[in-house]
Amino acid sequence: MLWEPKFESMERDELEQLQLEKLQATLNRVYMNVPFYHKRFDELGIDIDSIGSIDDIRKLPFTTKDDLRQNYPYGLFAVPLREVVRIHASSGTTGLSTVVGYTKNDIRNWSNLIARILTAGGITKDDVVQISFNYGLFTGGFGHHYGAERIGASVIPISSGNTNRQIKIMQDFRTTALICTPSYAMLIADTIREMGMNINSLCLKYGLFGGEPWSEAMRNDIQDKLKIVATDNYGLSEVMGPGVAGECLERNGLHINEDHFIVEVINPHTLEPLPLGEIGELVITTLTKEAFPVIRFRTRDLTKLTLERCSCGRKFMKMSRVMGRTDDMLIIKGVNVFPSQIEHVLINIENVSPHYQIIVKREGAIDAMEIQVEMSENIFSDEMKVLERLNKHIEQKIKEVLGISCRVKLVEPKSLQRSEGKAKRVVDLRKI
Ligand code: DLL
């Protein structure tokens, strides 16, 4: 267990003082050691000594994923490579990958923060933790691994994939906690059902899921099927990896590790900061990272913040589950569409499963959206008439919510590709 009330339950004024000191140290570090920040602050006439309060952070420029790419691979490192003990990178599916580094201290801090989040999610040294995130350049596998060892749990570093083997190991090794993406947890749960295995023959108690967006309905489904308590866990490689924020057992928002990060929510169009409670883009500044500090990094993730008291005793601010990404937004026939809106409609309709894929095409000069939705087993063999009615019903509901029409195609149960990592919900053929 790692429960650090000295930090996690710190009073606000004390916390802000600590944040300010660490922010000043971080600004010095990047100004001295990273030519990119040095040049940018000079160009904008920013004197880092003038940052005398947390609110002054607004005087600083944002850092974007493009800035990281332009400095590929090591341009934004703030220490010489010989002090770097670990390198991770994003997959690079949307362009050149971004590369991040960690010093020994960074790894220690990272492990501690993951340990806190595992503890908040119910995991202790008595647990057998199966880590089914990919081990490799992705931060999910190794990040959780070090944190789970830090609390003294028994770690099974199985990595992702080979679902039947995952389940056998889970049964034979008496796994009590599962750590992976929510979509992989769902695939594991469905596979257990198909195998006809009695879930009570497993010892699972907790699940920590993250790395991609998921809904409350999906949480309920996973909790029911696996008979576990499932918590949400958020992070991104540019800032650290997992370990930025995680839910406690109250399961009502993710506590942000504010002694290591300053978070803001901004309007993604005007770039102005938004008050607590308003939905906008999350911006993160690291306070303790040595090898790869980032200043006001624009995450593109949409969320809102709250300072409401939590029954668990942690006083760190909470962020709501990520509601989507600013770059997830599809513009179809001029209308802004988020995949999460479509998911929300589907979840509230009976006889369809939560598995769907959105395909966007251009027919002539006009955008066309097709949503492929898996039927549930119990309706699959019904008459055509019933299926047609369901089809029309979904199309109508989506039109009500989005204001544009789409084509819904009901597909057979289990026909859409399942994911062992992050699910791919959108196929936009217009870009090809
Ligand atoms: O996905 C780090 C991570 C691994 C977090 C495992 C939690 C668990 P990246 O590959 O850089 O890093 O992807 C980061 O994934 O900006 C979000 O858009 C999304 N994301 C991560 N966690 C969540 C979550 C890891 N809990 C990007 N809910 C982020 C929603 C999430 N989206």
PDB file of all heavy atoms in Angstrom, residues 65 90-91 133 138-141 144 180 209-214 232-238 241-243 254 299-301 321-322 324-325 422, ligand 1:
ATOM      1  N   LYS A  65       2.019  18.730 -29.072  1.00  0.00           N
ATOM      2  CA  LYS A  65       2.616  17.499 -29.606  1.00  0.00           C
ATOM      3  C   LYS A  65       3.518  17.823 -30.809  1.00  0.00           C
ATOM      4  O   LYS A  65       4.540  17.176 -31.001  1.00  0.00           O
ATOM      5  CB  LYS A  65       1.491  16.546 -30.013  1.00  0.00           C
ATOM      6  CG  LYS A  65       1.949  15.130 -30.146  1.00  0.00           C
ATOM      7  CD  LYS A  65       0.799  14.155 -30.085  1.00  0.00           C
ATOM      8  CE  LYS A  65       1.315  12.772 -30.391  1.00  0.00           C
ATOM      9  NZ  LYS A  65       1.393  11.885 -29.263  1.00  0.00           N
ATOM     10  N   SER A  90       5.638   7.133 -27.971  1.00  0.00           N
ATOM     11  CA  SER A  90       4.262   6.875 -28.395  1.00  0.00           C
ATOM     12  C   SER A  90       4.317   6.095 -29.706  1.00  0.00           C
ATOM     13  O   SER A  90       5.345   6.051 -30.370  1.00  0.00           O
ATOM     14  CB  SER A  90       3.529   8.203 -28.597  1.00  0.00           C
ATOM     15  OG  SER A  90       4.059   8.848 -29.733  1.00  0.00           O
ATOM     16  N   SER A  91       3.188   5.501 -30.057  1.00  0.00           N
ATOM     17  CA  SER A  91       3.201   4.565 -31.188  1.00  0.00           C
ATOM     18  C   SER A  91       3.458   5.250 -32.525  1.00  0.00           C
ATOM     19  O   SER A  91       3.925   4.635 -33.473  1.00  0.00           O
ATOM     20  CB  SER A  91       1.881   3.822 -31.253  1.00  0.00           C
ATOM     21  OG  SER A  91       0.859   4.764 -31.465  1.00  0.00           O
ATOM     22  N   PHE A 133      -1.186  -4.969 -20.036  1.00  0.00           N
ATOM     23  CA  PHE A 133      -0.841  -3.892 -20.955  1.00  0.00           C
ATOM     24  C   PHE A 133       0.406  -4.346 -21.696  1.00  0.00           C
ATOM     25  O   PHE A 133       1.242  -5.062 -21.133  1.00  0.00           O
ATOM     26  CB  PHE A 133      -0.470  -2.618 -20.182  1.00  0.00           C
ATOM     27  CG  PHE A 133      -1.624  -1.713 -19.892  1.00  0.00           C
ATOM     28  CD1 PHE A 133      -1.933  -1.368 -18.580  1.00  0.00           C
ATOM     29  CD2 PHE A 133      -2.382  -1.175 -20.916  1.00  0.00           C
ATOM     30  CE1 PHE A 133      -2.988  -0.516 -18.294  1.00  0.00           C
ATOM     31  CE2 PHE A 133      -3.433  -0.311 -20.641  1.00  0.00           C
ATOM     32  CZ  PHE A 133      -3.740   0.015 -19.331  1.00  0.00           C
ATOM     33  N   PHE A 138       5.504   1.478 -25.255  1.00  0.00           N
ATOM     34  CA  PHE A 138       4.284   1.983 -24.609  1.00  0.00           C
ATOM     35  C   PHE A 138       4.501   2.019 -23.089  1.00  0.00           C
ATOM     36  O   PHE A 138       5.093   1.101 -22.525  1.00  0.00           O
ATOM     37  CB  PHE A 138       3.126   1.038 -24.968  1.00  0.00           C
ATOM     38  CG  PHE A 138       1.820   1.359 -24.315  1.00  0.00           C
ATOM     39  CD1 PHE A 138       1.259   2.630 -24.436  1.00  0.00           C
ATOM     40  CD2 PHE A 138       1.121   0.399 -23.592  1.00  0.00           C
ATOM     41  CE1 PHE A 138       0.033   2.928 -23.843  1.00  0.00           C
ATOM     42  CE2 PHE A 138      -0.091   0.684 -22.998  1.00  0.00           C
ATOM     43  CZ  PHE A 138      -0.633   1.959 -23.126  1.00  0.00           C
ATOM     44  N   THR A 139       4.016   3.085 -22.447  1.00  0.00           N
ATOM     45  CA  THR A 139       4.281   3.251 -21.013  1.00  0.00           C
ATOM     46  C   THR A 139       3.407   2.368 -20.100  1.00  0.00           C
ATOM     47  O   THR A 139       3.696   2.237 -18.915  1.00  0.00           O
ATOM     48  CB  THR A 139       4.034   4.720 -20.598  1.00  0.00           C
ATOM     49  OG1 THR A 139       2.734   5.097 -21.072  1.00  0.00           O
ATOM     50  CG2 THR A 139       5.081   5.659 -21.169  1.00  0.00           C
ATOM     51  N   GLY A 140       2.349   1.775 -20.669  1.00  0.00           N
ATOM     52  CA  GLY A 140       1.373   1.044 -19.845  1.00  0.00           C
ATOM     53  C   GLY A 140       1.966  -0.144 -19.086  1.00  0.00           C
ATOM     54  O   GLY A 140       1.738  -0.301 -17.886  1.00  0.00           O
ATOM     55  N   GLY A 141       2.723  -0.985 -19.780  1.00  0.00           N
ATOM     56  CA  GLY A 141       3.241  -2.205 -19.153  1.00  0.00           C
ATOM     57  C   GLY A 141       4.261  -1.921 -18.066  1.00  0.00           C
ATOM     58  O   GLY A 141       4.020  -2.174 -16.878  1.00  0.00           O
ATOM     59  N   HIS A 144       3.081   0.402 -14.923  1.00  0.00           N
ATOM     60  CA  HIS A 144       2.321  -0.278 -13.860  1.00  0.00           C
ATOM     61  C   HIS A 144       3.170  -1.306 -13.142  1.00  0.00           C
ATOM     62  O   HIS A 144       3.022  -1.533 -11.941  1.00  0.00           O
ATOM     63  CB  HIS A 144       1.076  -0.950 -14.442  1.00  0.00           C
ATOM     64  CG  HIS A 144       0.001   0.029 -14.762  1.00  0.00           C
ATOM     65  ND1 HIS A 144      -0.249   0.481 -16.029  1.00  0.00           N
ATOM     66  CD2 HIS A 144      -0.869   0.692 -13.958  1.00  0.00           C
ATOM     67  CE1 HIS A 144      -1.235   1.355 -16.002  1.00  0.00           C
ATOM     68  NE2 HIS A 144      -1.625   1.513 -14.759  1.00  0.00           N
ATOM     69  N   CYS A 180      -5.322  -3.378 -17.467  1.00  0.00           N
ATOM     70  CA  CYS A 180      -5.243  -3.335 -18.936  1.00  0.00           C
ATOM     71  C   CYS A 180      -6.162  -2.232 -19.455  1.00  0.00           C
ATOM     72  O   CYS A 180      -6.666  -1.436 -18.663  1.00  0.00           O
ATOM     73  CB  CYS A 180      -5.656  -4.690 -19.530  1.00  0.00           C
ATOM     74  SG  CYS A 180      -7.291  -5.259 -19.053  1.00  0.00           S
ATOM     75  N   PHE A 209      -8.309   0.159 -15.024  1.00  0.00           N
ATOM     76  CA  PHE A 209      -8.364   0.240 -16.478  1.00  0.00           C
ATOM     77  C   PHE A 209      -8.139   1.653 -16.963  1.00  0.00           C
ATOM     78  O   PHE A 209      -8.643   2.609 -16.378  1.00  0.00           O
ATOM     79  CB  PHE A 209      -9.708  -0.303 -16.972  1.00  0.00           C
ATOM     80  CG  PHE A 209      -9.992  -1.694 -16.462  1.00  0.00           C
ATOM     81  CD1 PHE A 209     -11.145  -1.965 -15.734  1.00  0.00           C
ATOM     82  CD2 PHE A 209      -9.088  -2.718 -16.683  1.00  0.00           C
ATOM     83  CE1 PHE A 209     -11.388  -3.252 -15.247  1.00  0.00           C
ATOM     84  CE2 PHE A 209      -9.319  -4.006 -16.202  1.00  0.00           C
ATOM     85  CZ  PHE A 209     -10.483  -4.273 -15.480  1.00  0.00           C
ATOM     86  N   GLY A 210      -7.379   1.788 -18.042  1.00  0.00           N
ATOM     87  CA  GLY A 210      -7.102   3.120 -18.576  1.00  0.00           C
ATOM     88  C   GLY A 210      -6.401   3.015 -19.911  1.00  0.00           C
ATOM     89  O   GLY A 210      -6.295   1.943 -20.504  1.00  0.00           O
ATOM     90  N   GLY A 211      -5.937   4.171 -20.372  1.00  0.00           N
ATOM     91  CA  GLY A 211      -5.238   4.206 -21.658  1.00  0.00           C
ATOM     92  C   GLY A 211      -6.151   4.575 -22.805  1.00  0.00           C
ATOM     93  O   GLY A 211      -5.678   4.864 -23.902  1.00  0.00           O
ATOM     94  N   GLU A 212      -7.456   4.563 -22.581  1.00  0.00           N
ATOM     95  CA  GLU A 212      -8.424   4.922 -23.634  1.00  0.00           C
ATOM     96  C   GLU A 212      -9.730   5.318 -22.944  1.00  0.00           C
ATOM     97  O   GLU A 212      -9.964   4.957 -21.791  1.00  0.00           O
ATOM     98  CB  GLU A 212      -8.666   3.734 -24.566  1.00  0.00           C
ATOM     99  CG  GLU A 212      -9.310   2.563 -23.846  1.00  0.00           C
ATOM    100  CD  GLU A 212      -9.632   1.374 -24.745  1.00  0.00           C
ATOM    101  OE1 GLU A 212      -9.359   1.435 -25.948  1.00  0.00           O
ATOM    102  OE2 GLU A 212     -10.171   0.387 -24.216  1.00  0.00           O
ATOM    103  N   PRO A 213     -10.583   6.056 -23.662  1.00  0.00           N
ATOM    104  CA  PRO A 213     -11.851   6.474 -23.036  1.00  0.00           C
ATOM    105  C   PRO A 213     -12.803   5.290 -22.836  1.00  0.00           C
ATOM    106  O   PRO A 213     -12.798   4.356 -23.632  1.00  0.00           O
ATOM    107  CB  PRO A 213     -12.446   7.460 -24.055  1.00  0.00           C
ATOM    108  CG  PRO A 213     -11.511   7.549 -25.185  1.00  0.00           C
ATOM    109  CD  PRO A 213     -10.418   6.562 -25.017  1.00  0.00           C
ATOM    110  N   TRP A 214     -13.569   5.341 -21.779  1.00  0.00           N
ATOM    111  CA  TRP A 214     -14.631   4.337 -21.566  1.00  0.00           C
ATOM    112  C   TRP A 214     -15.773   5.009 -20.829  1.00  0.00           C
ATOM    113  O   TRP A 214     -15.581   6.064 -20.232  1.00  0.00           O
ATOM    114  CB  TRP A 214     -14.119   3.080 -20.858  1.00  0.00           C
ATOM    115  CG  TRP A 214     -13.320   3.248 -19.580  1.00  0.00           C
ATOM    116  CD1 TRP A 214     -12.328   4.155 -19.342  1.00  0.00           C
ATOM    117  CD2 TRP A 214     -13.432   2.467 -18.383  1.00  0.00           C
ATOM    118  NE1 TRP A 214     -11.800   3.968 -18.093  1.00  0.00           N
ATOM    119  CE2 TRP A 214     -12.463   2.934 -17.479  1.00  0.00           C
ATOM    120  CE3 TRP A 214     -14.239   1.386 -17.998  1.00  0.00           C
ATOM    121  CZ2 TRP A 214     -12.286   2.390 -16.206  1.00  0.00           C
ATOM    122  CZ3 TRP A 214     -14.056   0.843 -16.731  1.00  0.00           C
ATOM    123  CH2 TRP A 214     -13.093   1.336 -15.852  1.00  0.00           C
ATOM    124  N   ASP A 232     -10.789   3.814 -12.824  1.00  0.00           N
ATOM    125  CA  ASP A 232     -10.251   4.465 -14.027  1.00  0.00           C
ATOM    126  C   ASP A 232      -8.890   5.081 -13.694  1.00  0.00           C
ATOM    127  O   ASP A 232      -8.665   5.553 -12.577  1.00  0.00           O
ATOM    128  CB  ASP A 232     -11.240   5.568 -14.445  1.00  0.00           C
ATOM    129  CG  ASP A 232     -10.946   6.153 -15.819  1.00  0.00           C
ATOM    130  OD1 ASP A 232     -10.005   5.687 -16.480  1.00  0.00           O
ATOM    131  OD2 ASP A 232     -11.673   7.089 -16.216  1.00  0.00           O
ATOM    132  N   ASN A 233      -8.049   5.126 -14.681  1.00  0.00           N
ATOM    133  CA  ASN A 233      -6.651   5.437 -14.460  1.00  0.00           C
ATOM    134  C   ASN A 233      -6.155   6.171 -15.706  1.00  0.00           C
ATOM    135  O   ASN A 233      -6.256   5.653 -16.806  1.00  0.00           O
ATOM    136  CB  ASN A 233      -6.037   4.049 -14.219  1.00  0.00           C
ATOM    137  CG  ASN A 233      -4.594   3.939 -14.391  1.00  0.00           C
ATOM    138  OD1 ASN A 233      -3.874   4.911 -14.357  1.00  0.00           O
ATOM    139  ND2 ASN A 233      -4.147   2.717 -14.589  1.00  0.00           N
ATOM    140  N   TYR A 234      -5.693   7.415 -15.511  1.00  0.00           N
ATOM    141  CA  TYR A 234      -5.395   8.278 -16.669  1.00  0.00           C
ATOM    142  C   TYR A 234      -3.940   8.746 -16.698  1.00  0.00           C
ATOM    143  O   TYR A 234      -3.354   9.041 -15.647  1.00  0.00           O
ATOM    144  CB  TYR A 234      -6.304   9.519 -16.625  1.00  0.00           C
ATOM    145  CG  TYR A 234      -5.914  10.613 -17.598  1.00  0.00           C
ATOM    146  CD1 TYR A 234      -6.325  10.578 -18.924  1.00  0.00           C
ATOM    147  CD2 TYR A 234      -5.095  11.681 -17.197  1.00  0.00           C
ATOM    148  CE1 TYR A 234      -5.952  11.566 -19.825  1.00  0.00           C
ATOM    149  CE2 TYR A 234      -4.720  12.679 -18.090  1.00  0.00           C
ATOM    150  CZ  TYR A 234      -5.150  12.610 -19.401  1.00  0.00           C
ATOM    151  OH  TYR A 234      -4.773  13.588 -20.289  1.00  0.00           O
ATOM    152  N   GLY A 235      -3.409   8.843 -17.873  1.00  0.00           N
ATOM    153  CA  GLY A 235      -2.077   9.417 -18.033  1.00  0.00           C
ATOM    154  C   GLY A 235      -1.724   9.460 -19.502  1.00  0.00           C
ATOM    155  O   GLY A 235      -2.475   8.979 -20.340  1.00  0.00           O
ATOM    156  N   LEU A 236      -0.591  10.054 -19.810  1.00  0.00           N
ATOM    157  CA  LEU A 236      -0.143  10.114 -21.207  1.00  0.00           C
ATOM    158  C   LEU A 236       1.371  10.149 -21.222  1.00  0.00           C
ATOM    159  O   LEU A 236       2.003  10.674 -20.300  1.00  0.00           O
ATOM    160  CB  LEU A 236      -0.750  11.313 -21.932  1.00  0.00           C
ATOM    161  CG  LEU A 236      -0.455  12.720 -21.467  1.00  0.00           C
ATOM    162  CD1 LEU A 236      -0.902  13.696 -22.528  1.00  0.00           C
ATOM    163  CD2 LEU A 236      -1.197  13.031 -20.179  1.00  0.00           C
ATOM    164  N   SER A 237       1.936   9.538 -22.266  1.00  0.00           N
ATOM    165  CA  SER A 237       3.389   9.367 -22.259  1.00  0.00           C
ATOM    166  C   SER A 237       4.127  10.696 -22.217  1.00  0.00           C
ATOM    167  O   SER A 237       5.157  10.803 -21.550  1.00  0.00           O
ATOM    168  CB  SER A 237       3.854   8.522 -23.442  1.00  0.00           C
ATOM    169  OG  SER A 237       3.070   8.724 -24.567  1.00  0.00           O
ATOM    170  N   GLU A 238       3.610  11.712 -22.904  1.00  0.00           N
ATOM    171  CA  GLU A 238       4.318  12.997 -22.958  1.00  0.00           C
ATOM    172  C   GLU A 238       4.515  13.589 -21.566  1.00  0.00           C
ATOM    173  O   GLU A 238       5.439  14.364 -21.337  1.00  0.00           O
ATOM    174  CB  GLU A 238       3.543  14.007 -23.813  1.00  0.00           C
ATOM    175  CG  GLU A 238       3.495  13.680 -25.291  1.00  0.00           C
ATOM    176  CD  GLU A 238       2.360  12.725 -25.650  1.00  0.00           C
ATOM    177  OE1 GLU A 238       1.720  12.180 -24.717  1.00  0.00           O
ATOM    178  OE2 GLU A 238       2.123  12.515 -26.849  1.00  0.00           O
ATOM    179  N   GLY A 241       3.153   9.026 -18.487  1.00  0.00           N
ATOM    180  CA  GLY A 241       2.574   7.707 -18.723  1.00  0.00           C
ATOM    181  C   GLY A 241       1.432   7.577 -17.735  1.00  0.00           C
ATOM    182  O   GLY A 241       0.946   8.603 -17.224  1.00  0.00           O
ATOM    183  N   PRO A 242       0.985   6.347 -17.409  1.00  0.00           N
ATOM    184  CA  PRO A 242      -0.020   6.240 -16.357  1.00  0.00           C
ATOM    185  C   PRO A 242       0.573   6.822 -15.080  1.00  0.00           C
ATOM    186  O   PRO A 242       1.789   6.962 -14.987  1.00  0.00           O
ATOM    187  CB  PRO A 242      -0.225   4.726 -16.230  1.00  0.00           C
ATOM    188  CG  PRO A 242       0.997   4.103 -16.823  1.00  0.00           C
ATOM    189  CD  PRO A 242       1.467   5.039 -17.883  1.00  0.00           C
ATOM    190  N   GLY A 243      -0.268   7.182 -14.113  1.00  0.00           N
ATOM    191  CA  GLY A 243       0.277   7.730 -12.863  1.00  0.00           C
ATOM    192  C   GLY A 243      -0.092   9.188 -12.680  1.00  0.00           C
ATOM    193  O   GLY A 243       0.146   9.760 -11.618  1.00  0.00           O
ATOM    194  N   LEU A 254     -11.228  11.171 -11.046  1.00  0.00           N
ATOM    195  CA  LEU A 254      -9.851  10.711 -10.817  1.00  0.00           C
ATOM    196  C   LEU A 254      -9.053  11.773 -10.067  1.00  0.00           C
ATOM    197  O   LEU A 254      -8.950  12.922 -10.518  1.00  0.00           O
ATOM    198  CB  LEU A 254      -9.167  10.439 -12.167  1.00  0.00           C
ATOM    199  CG  LEU A 254      -9.773   9.361 -13.070  1.00  0.00           C
ATOM    200  CD1 LEU A 254     -10.911   9.939 -13.906  1.00  0.00           C
ATOM    201  CD2 LEU A 254      -8.731   8.784 -14.004  1.00  0.00           C
ATOM    202  N   THR A 299      -3.021  18.502 -23.784  1.00  0.00           N
ATOM    203  CA  THR A 299      -3.244  17.053 -23.900  1.00  0.00           C
ATOM    204  C   THR A 299      -4.224  16.690 -25.006  1.00  0.00           C
ATOM    205  O   THR A 299      -4.256  15.548 -25.439  1.00  0.00           O
ATOM    206  CB  THR A 299      -3.819  16.476 -22.596  1.00  0.00           C
ATOM    207  OG1 THR A 299      -5.120  17.059 -22.390  1.00  0.00           O
ATOM    208  CG2 THR A 299      -2.933  16.755 -21.402  1.00  0.00           C
ATOM    209  N   ARG A 300      -5.095  17.653 -25.394  1.00  0.00           N
ATOM    210  CA  ARG A 300      -6.212  17.397 -26.327  1.00  0.00           C
ATOM    211  C   ARG A 300      -7.340  16.612 -25.669  1.00  0.00           C
ATOM    212  O   ARG A 300      -8.345  16.309 -26.316  1.00  0.00           O
ATOM    213  CB  ARG A 300      -5.777  16.635 -27.592  1.00  0.00           C
ATOM    214  CG  ARG A 300      -4.618  17.233 -28.309  1.00  0.00           C
ATOM    215  CD  ARG A 300      -5.089  18.164 -29.384  1.00  0.00           C
ATOM    216  NE  ARG A 300      -3.998  18.977 -29.884  1.00  0.00           N
ATOM    217  CZ  ARG A 300      -4.163  20.071 -30.587  1.00  0.00           C
ATOM    218  NH1 ARG A 300      -5.375  20.488 -30.857  1.00  0.00           N
ATOM    219  NH2 ARG A 300      -3.144  20.766 -30.999  1.00  0.00           N
ATOM    220  N   ASP A 301      -7.181  16.218 -24.416  1.00  0.00           N
ATOM    221  CA  ASP A 301      -8.235  15.460 -23.737  1.00  0.00           C
ATOM    222  C   ASP A 301      -9.249  16.405 -23.108  1.00  0.00           C
ATOM    223  O   ASP A 301      -8.873  17.398 -22.482  1.00  0.00           O
ATOM    224  CB  ASP A 301      -7.619  14.566 -22.645  1.00  0.00           C
ATOM    225  CG  ASP A 301      -6.772  13.464 -23.242  1.00  0.00           C
ATOM    226  OD1 ASP A 301      -7.198  12.890 -24.264  1.00  0.00           O
ATOM    227  OD2 ASP A 301      -5.687  13.180 -22.702  1.00  0.00           O
ATOM    228  N   ARG A 321     -14.026  11.613 -15.809  1.00  0.00           N
ATOM    229  CA  ARG A 321     -13.522  10.705 -16.837  1.00  0.00           C
ATOM    230  C   ARG A 321     -13.336  11.504 -18.142  1.00  0.00           C
ATOM    231  O   ARG A 321     -14.082  12.460 -18.391  1.00  0.00           O
ATOM    232  CB  ARG A 321     -14.446   9.518 -17.037  1.00  0.00           C
ATOM    233  CG  ARG A 321     -15.810   9.885 -17.576  1.00  0.00           C
ATOM    234  CD  ARG A 321     -16.608   8.675 -18.059  1.00  0.00           C
ATOM    235  NE  ARG A 321     -16.931   7.718 -17.031  1.00  0.00           N
ATOM    236  CZ  ARG A 321     -16.326   6.542 -16.879  1.00  0.00           C
ATOM    237  NH1 ARG A 321     -15.368   6.176 -17.686  1.00  0.00           N
ATOM    238  NH2 ARG A 321     -16.696   5.723 -15.924  1.00  0.00           N
ATOM    239  N   VAL A 322     -12.356  11.139 -18.938  1.00  0.00           N
ATOM    240  CA  VAL A 322     -12.103  11.877 -20.183  1.00  0.00           C
ATOM    241  C   VAL A 322     -13.303  11.679 -21.113  1.00  0.00           C
ATOM    242  O   VAL A 322     -13.743  10.564 -21.349  1.00  0.00           O
ATOM    243  CB  VAL A 322     -10.793  11.390 -20.848  1.00  0.00           C
ATOM    244  CG1 VAL A 322     -10.627  11.983 -22.235  1.00  0.00           C
ATOM    245  CG2 VAL A 322      -9.610  11.746 -19.960  1.00  0.00           C
ATOM    246  N   GLY A 324     -13.579  12.718 -24.266  1.00  0.00           N
ATOM    247  CA  GLY A 324     -13.239  12.656 -25.684  1.00  0.00           C
ATOM    248  C   GLY A 324     -11.986  13.473 -25.893  1.00  0.00           C
ATOM    249  O   GLY A 324     -11.413  13.986 -24.928  1.00  0.00           O
ATOM    250  N   ARG A 325     -11.568  13.573 -27.135  1.00  0.00           N
ATOM    251  CA  ARG A 325     -10.380  14.370 -27.426  1.00  0.00           C
ATOM    252  C   ARG A 325     -10.751  15.454 -28.420  1.00  0.00           C
ATOM    253  O   ARG A 325     -11.627  15.252 -29.255  1.00  0.00           O
ATOM    254  CB  ARG A 325      -9.293  13.475 -28.036  1.00  0.00           C
ATOM    255  CG  ARG A 325      -8.622  12.579 -27.033  1.00  0.00           C
ATOM    256  CD  ARG A 325      -7.604  11.676 -27.724  1.00  0.00           C
ATOM    257  NE  ARG A 325      -6.587  12.417 -28.456  1.00  0.00           N
ATOM    258  CZ  ARG A 325      -5.479  12.919 -27.912  1.00  0.00           C
ATOM    259  NH1 ARG A 325      -5.243  12.772 -26.624  1.00  0.00           N
ATOM    260  NH2 ARG A 325      -4.601  13.563 -28.637  1.00  0.00           N
ATOM    261  N   LYS A 422      -5.618  -0.551 -27.274  1.00  0.00           N
ATOM    262  CA  LYS A 422      -6.585   0.533 -27.401  1.00  0.00           C
ATOM    263  C   LYS A 422      -7.526   0.251 -28.584  1.00  0.00           C
ATOM    264  O   LYS A 422      -7.062  -0.082 -29.666  1.00  0.00           O
ATOM    265  CB  LYS A 422      -5.855   1.854 -27.627  1.00  0.00           C
ATOM    266  CG  LYS A 422      -4.869   2.183 -26.513  1.00  0.00           C
ATOM    267  CD  LYS A 422      -4.392   3.624 -26.614  1.00  0.00           C
ATOM    268  CE  LYS A 422      -3.292   3.904 -25.598  1.00  0.00           C
ATOM    269  NZ  LYS A 422      -3.199   5.290 -25.209  1.00  0.00           N
TER     270      LYS A 422
HETATM  271  O1  DLL B   1      -2.106   5.560 -22.682  1.00  0.00           O
HETATM  272  C1  DLL B   1      -0.743   6.008 -20.724  1.00  0.00           C
HETATM  273  C2  DLL B   1      -1.606   5.093 -19.951  1.00  0.00           C
HETATM  274  C3  DLL B   1      -1.400   3.734 -20.036  1.00  0.00           C
HETATM  275  C4  DLL B   1      -2.595   5.576 -19.105  1.00  0.00           C
HETATM  276  C5  DLL B   1      -2.186   2.872 -19.309  1.00  0.00           C
HETATM  277  C6  DLL B   1      -3.363   4.732 -18.342  1.00  0.00           C
HETATM  278  C7  DLL B   1      -3.168   3.384 -18.456  1.00  0.00           C
HETATM  279  P1  DLL B   1      -0.400   7.301 -24.427  1.00  0.00           P
HETATM  280  O2  DLL B   1      -0.272   6.051 -25.243  1.00  0.00           O
HETATM  281  O3  DLL B   1       0.552   8.396 -24.641  1.00  0.00           O
HETATM  282  O4  DLL B   1      -0.305   6.962 -22.899  1.00  0.00           O
HETATM  283  O5  DLL B   1      -1.886   7.814 -24.665  1.00  0.00           O
HETATM  284  C8  DLL B   1      -2.370   8.897 -23.952  1.00  0.00           C
HETATM  285  O6  DLL B   1      -4.645   8.054 -24.079  1.00  0.00           O
HETATM  286  O7  DLL B   1      -4.019  11.568 -24.014  1.00  0.00           O
HETATM  287  C9  DLL B   1      -5.873  10.005 -23.628  1.00  0.00           C
HETATM  288  O8  DLL B   1      -6.393  10.477 -24.852  1.00  0.00           O
HETATM  289  C10 DLL B   1      -5.907   8.497 -23.611  1.00  0.00           C
HETATM  290  N1  DLL B   1      -6.139   8.002 -22.246  1.00  0.00           N
HETATM  291  C11 DLL B   1      -5.243   7.531 -21.374  1.00  0.00           C
HETATM  292  N2  DLL B   1      -5.859   7.134 -20.236  1.00  0.00           N
HETATM  293  C12 DLL B   1      -7.179   7.392 -20.389  1.00  0.00           C
HETATM  294  C13 DLL B   1      -8.341   7.224 -19.581  1.00  0.00           C
HETATM  295  C14 DLL B   1      -1.142   6.126 -22.182  1.00  0.00           C
HETATM  296  N3  DLL B   1      -8.293   6.674 -18.368  1.00  0.00           N
HETATM  297  C15 DLL B   1      -3.805   9.195 -24.347  1.00  0.00           C
HETATM  298  N4  DLL B   1      -9.521   7.631 -20.085  1.00  0.00           N
HETATM  299  C16 DLL B   1      -4.387  10.307 -23.512  1.00  0.00           C
HETATM  300  C17 DLL B   1      -9.595   8.177 -21.320  1.00  0.00           C
HETATM  301  C18 DLL B   1      -7.343   7.949 -21.685  1.00  0.00           C
HETATM  302  N5  DLL B   1      -8.548   8.329 -22.132  1.00  0.00           N
END
